[in-house]
Amino acid sequence: MKKILAYALSVIALSGMVGVPIFTQAATFTQEETAIEVTQQTTNADEVVKLVNQQRTKTGLKALTVDKNMTAAAQLRTTEIEKKFSHTRPNGSGFSTALRDKGVSYRGAGENIAWGQKTPADVMNGWMNSSGHKENILNKSFTKIGVANYKNAAGKNYWVQLFAY
């Protein structure tokens, strides 16, 4: 059976020392294990969308519609924020260029990013307790959403929500 080799690189932040790389042991996954992990990440993203729409409807806002191209852009962004945790992409452009790269037309866009949370409920709790992130989730102008969750070989979760109208 074909084996997939994944190297783990995690970054820790200690007081005064941000971005110190720590190399961990390489992990080997079978195709079945990889497929299960991808399925879990998709389920996590679907759950985040559900939780977003619950928050919106509680405040009288319309539910957001999942856009497959925005989801593809969010998937791209999850791997980018593993390398550089920022709304600026590794190539120096803004996050919204990922939307254009995936063929999304929009007049306005927003992005929420997070890392480390283990569950959709955990990440949504964090975002809802942060004014800027909450503003994106409850922005009445937004009509579409794309969400992705990426778990790296070290087991660290990265989360992205992209919003647009």
Side-chain angles (χ1 to χ4, degrees), residues 64-78:
L64 299 174
T65 303
V66 174
D67 180 287
K68 67 178 181 164
N69 292 337
M70 288 179 63
T71 299
Q75 289 169 335
L76 170 63
R77 291 289 296 134
T78 59

Side-chain angles (χ1 to χ4, degrees), residues 107-124:
R107 293 186 315 250
E111 176 182 67
N112 287 346
I113 60 176
W115 66 274
Q117 297 81 359
K118 295 183 186 300
T119 68
D122 291 343
V123 75
M124 278 298 296

Side-chain angles (χ1 to χ4, degrees), residues 11-126:
V11 177
I12 62 169
L14 301 172
S15 58
M17 295 178 60
V18 178
V20 179
I22 302 271
F23 292 93
T24 59
Q25 182 178 359
T28 304
F29 301 99
T30 65
Q31 287 179 332
E32 290 81 9
E33 289 168 328
T34 302
I36 290 168
E37 191 59 45
V38 169
T39 299
Q40 182 61 50
Q41 291 167 16
T42 301
T43 302
N44 285 344
D46 292 342
E47 181 66 15
V48 168
V49 171
K50 177 181 158 190
L51 294 170
V52 165
N53 283 331
Q54 286 175 354
Q55 291 293 330
R56 290 178 64 84
T57 56
K58 278 194 323 193
T59 60
L61 296 171
K62 290 182 181 178
L64 299 174
T65 303
V66 174
D67 180 287
K68 67 178 181 164
N69 292 337
M70 288 179 63
T71 299
Q75 289 169 335
L76 170 63
R77 291 289 296 134
T78 59
T79 59
E80 290 180 347
I81 66 170
E82 179 189 22
K83 297 174 185 92
K84 179 184 178 191
F85 190 76
S86 173
H87 294 291
T88 302
R89 297 180 69 191
N91 67 7
S93 64
F95 76 87
S96 62
T97 61
L99 292 168
R100 287 194 186 106
D101 290 351
K102 296 299 180 181
V104 177
S105 297
Y106 62 92
R107 293 186 315 250
E111 176 182 67
N112 287 346
I113 60 176
W115 66 274
Q117 297 81 359
K118 295 183 186 300
T119 68
D122 291 343
V123 75
M124 278 298 296
N125 184 52

